Amino acid sequence: STADAFASLQSSPKIYSPAQSIISIQQQSSRDNSCLHASPGSGFGSSKKKKTRTYGDESSKSPSAVGTELFELQELRAQLQTILKEDLQYQTLSTEKREELTKYVNAVVEKSETPIDYSGRNDKMGTAKFVAGLEKKSWRMVFSTDPSGEGQDGDGGAELPYGSTVIMRIGEFMGCDGKLDYVLKFSKQIMGLRELVAKSTCSVDIGPVNPGVFSFQYQDIKTNVFGMSNLPVGFFGLLKGRTTYIDTVWFDGERWIERNYLENGNVVYNVYVRDESDE
């Protein structure tokens, strides 16, 4: 039923990100002036406690990833594009294919430098470039390394209703703040339901503690059902104002890799690809 679909959306993202807590008023005020440098017009998770971002040992990045493009990156890029083009749900991929893609994702995160410095640590305009690369685009989650996505019982993560996927439709930014539609889209209509839309506000943190962390808050939950769109759903209003986070670890303007933590402490990655057909 439609109500069950809404319940699935509410309970599905059992994600535990290292960046999850409400940012203090002091941190907010310290970044206000800096946000202006992101320039007008050129920014997902649970609300667990936010941890300080760790960037790892830069020396672990492979020299070959600098001079020559990483083989795993080439393979990952090609296969993600095929998944997007064929409109496949990653839950339907075979175990072998999921393991192969997981190997590629891990290699890219561990060995390849992110093309856009979303943190602004090495490039003062890196955060502005990150925002400019996100805004006015649709981002479809095409893969997750979370094993629970195979339909098995897991500790949490990117579990979604079978046959559905997440799309983030990001609007225009003013400085570090913008708007987005967080969408749960179904491959087939379920009782006339095509998608659930969480109208949200979003921002990119440029503070010293967790630079580059993308956060958003649900404002209204709307849907497209029986051919009529944007119907307000009253009983789902309890999500209003809840802050969720995306901890970016790799971004190039076309692909976006997010890091999450399961309840058992294992790291998983969600991979988004720009979906021009949705823009």
Side-chain angles (χ1 to χ4, degrees):
S1 69
T2 301
D4 291 335
F6 275 105
S8 296
L9 175 62
Q10 183 178 359
S11 62
S12 58
K14 300 174 288 183
I15 300 173
Y16 296 82
S17 168
Q20 298 169 337
S21 77
I22 302 301
I23 303 174
S24 68
I25 296 176
Q26 289 82 1
Q27 289 173 322
Q28 289 287 358
S29 61
S30 68
R31 70 173 211 173
D32 285 344
N33 294 331
S34 301
C35 275
L36 298 177
H37 296 291
S39 77
S42 289
F44 291 92
S46 74
S47 51
K48 293 288 181 180
K49 184 176 180 181
K50 197 175 187 179
K51 301 179 183 178
T52 301
R53 176 193 295 275
T54 56
Y55 293 89
D57 182 3
E58 294 299 323
S59 64
S60 65
K61 304 292 185 180
S62 171
S64 63
V66 178
T68 304
E69 189 173 69
L70 195 68
F71 165 78
E72 289 88 347
L73 175 57
Q74 298 178 32
E75 287 296 310
L76 180 64
R77 184 165 52 206
Q79 296 200 35
L80 292 178
Q81 198 60 36
T82 297
I83 294 174
L84 179 66
K85 182 179 179 180
E86 299 297 328
D87 195 22
L88 302 175
Q89 275 69 50
Y90 70 87
Q91 304 102 318
T92 66
L93 299 177
S94 67
T95 299
E96 292 76 14
K97 177 56 65 178
R98 289 180 59 86
E99 290 176 349
E100 178 186 3
L101 290 172
T102 295
K103 180 182 68 174
Y104 293 156
V105 171
N106 289 336
V108 168
V109 172
E110 294 169 5
K111 300 179 182 179
S112 176
E113 294 284 357
T114 178
I116 295 179
D117 178 21
Y118 51 86
S119 71
R121 286 163 56 94
N122 302 315
D123 179 357
K124 291 184 179 180
M125 289 301 293
T127 305
K129 293 176 183 177
F130 179 49
V131 170
L134 290 174
E135 67 174 352
K136 300 180 182 179
K137 296 178 182 178
S138 290
W139 298 90
R140 181 186 295 266
M141 189 170 77
V142 297
F143 183 66
S144 175
T145 64
D146 181 4
S148 63
E150 298 176 356
Q152 301 173 357
D153 292 335
D155 295 313
E159 293 181 90
L160 297 171
Y162 191 83
S164 67
T165 190
V166 166
I167 299 177
M168 297 185 289
R169 297 169 182 155
I170 302 181
E172 187 173 356
F173 269 67
M174 289 297 292
C176 296
D177 302 303
K179 293 185 180 298
L180 69 89
D181 287 349
Y182 187 85
V183 183
L184 180 63
K185 193 174 185 67
F186 298 95
S187 59
K188 296 181 180 180
Q189 289 192 36
I190 301 176
M191 296 294 292
L193 182 65
R194 294 177 180 172
E195 60 183 36
L196 304 178
V197 181
K199 297 287 185 179
S200 311
T201 58
C202 60
S203 65
V204 174
D205 190 348
I206 61 171
V209 179
N210 292 287
V213 170
F214 185 100
S215 64
F216 68 99
Q217 285 189 335
Y218 299 101
Q219 301 299 317
D220 292 290
I221 307 297
K222 300 185 178 182
T223 182
N224 183 315
V225 61
F226 300 117
M228 297 180 290
S229 61
N230 294 334
L231 298 179
V233 182
F235 69 88
F236 214 56
L238 56 94
L239 286 178
K240 286 185 178 181
R242 189 185 98 178
T243 301
T244 57
Y245 298 88
I246 281 188
D247 182 17
T248 300
V249 293
W250 203 90
F251 181 80
D252 70 353
E254 296 292 329
R255 285 150 290 273
W256 185 2
I257 302 179
E258 165 196 17
R259 174 176 55 192
N260 290 307
Y261 289 84
L262 302 181
E263 290 178 342
N264 60 10
N266 290 340
V267 177
V268 295
Y269 300 106
N270 296 332
V271 184
Y272 301 84
V273 175
R274 181 185 178 186
D275 187 355
E276 294 188 58
S277 67
D278 189 74
E279 297 173 3

